[in-house]
Amino acid sequence: MIWGRKETEGKTGIWSKEWIYSMVACYYGKQNIQKLIQRTKWNKPFLVLDNGKQAYFNYSHTKKYLLAGFSEDADVGVDIEEIKRGHRSVNLITECLASEERKYMKTLDKSKQREALLKIWVQKEAIGKALGIGLIYDTSSFVARYKADVHRESFQIAFGNRELIGQVWREDDFWACVTQAYRIKQKTGALGKEKGRQEY
């Protein structure tokens, strides 16, 4: 996992894509890394190396930061959100919460609600990316369990035929999360249709 800061704020979409490709190219010693990139049916990129082995990567960016995760063991998902920036999708994020999480938000002082919301959000988005399907899964099927003042926590959950292991943490002005999704032999239920809610 690696994260960096852009010296000047602005649109980072092109910059972040070039940055992630150059990092992957340097790590694997390849000149034209894009020839090795293939995509899943959900359009998520991954690498097919010379030995036929797959390598996974994922990235997320804000105006100031870029976070990237790499793995040869399991699919990876990351997300990063700046705390002080006004999030345009707060209402949408709230809709993605489980009822238990909404109740938890109401117990917090209003000054802490937004930060808590972002902490939950980066976990849910990184999970969706690790699964390779983005946010089309039932995000309310996960219930976050954590202490509000803890700034670095690990979690482990089962979802469909995957076991997800991740960590969420806070730096001075952002929340970030990295998650890996390992395939497990015995399915725990159809994707998004597990009995009861998963806690992490």
Side-chain angles (χ1 to χ4, degrees), residues 35-184:
K35 288 185 177 180
L36 302 178
I37 295 176
Q38 294 188 21
R39 293 184 178 272
T40 68
K41 67 177 182 178
W42 301 105
N43 204 34
K44 183 177 181 182
F46 64 93
L47 293 174
V48 178
L49 305 177
D50 295 336
N51 57 7
K53 189 175 181 180
Q54 292 183 359
Y56 307 93
F57 63 94
N58 191 235
Y59 67 92
S60 177
H61 63 81
T62 68
K63 284 188 175 181
K64 290 196 299 184
Y65 296 104
L66 186 141
L67 173 68
F70 305 85
S71 175
E72 292 182 10
D73 300 319
D75 212 335
V76 62
V78 302
D79 191 45
I80 185 168
E81 294 284 350
E82 290 180 50
I83 296 169
K84 294 180 180 178
R85 288 185 60 214
H87 203 293
R88 293 176 296 176
S89 305
V90 170
N91 291 334
L92 176 61
I93 294 174
T94 304
E95 289 299 315
C96 293
L97 299 181
S99 59
E100 294 94 325
E101 292 166 340
R102 294 182 192 181
K103 290 178 183 177
Y104 170 72
M105 287 295 160
K106 292 179 180 178
T107 67
L108 298 177
D109 184 82
K110 286 189 176 182
S111 62
K112 295 183 178 181
Q113 286 179 0
R114 187 175 177 282
E115 184 173 343
L117 184 65
L118 289 179
K119 184 178 182 181
I120 293 174
W121 175 253
V122 295
Q123 294 176 78
K124 289 180 184 283
E125 187 155 352
I127 286 170
K129 288 182 175 182
L131 291 171
I133 58 177
L135 290 173
I136 68 169
Y137 76 100
D138 181 8
T139 55
S140 66
S141 63
F142 294 120
V143 180
R145 301 294 187 204
Y146 58 82
K147 295 179 181 178
D149 296 327
V150 176
H151 288 174
R152 184 177 291 271
E153 294 180 74
S154 299
F155 58 89
Q156 183 173 352
I157 56 174
F159 189 64
N161 63 346
R162 302 288 188 92
E163 180 180 35
L164 295 118
I165 299 172
Q167 186 173 82
V168 59
W169 74 96
R170 184 189 189 280
E171 296 291 338
D172 290 339
D173 59 350
F174 67 78
W175 277 105
C177 181
V178 60
T179 306
Q180 287 184 279
Y182 294 87
R183 292 191 179 275
I184 52 181

Side-chain angles (χ1 to χ4, degrees), residues 181-198:
Y182 294 87
R183 292 191 179 275
I184 52 181
K185 292 181 180 179
Q186 185 176 3
K187 289 188 177 182
T188 58
L191 189 65
K193 295 181 180 179
E194 286 74 10
K195 294 180 180 179
R197 298 194 186 280
Q198 299 288 341

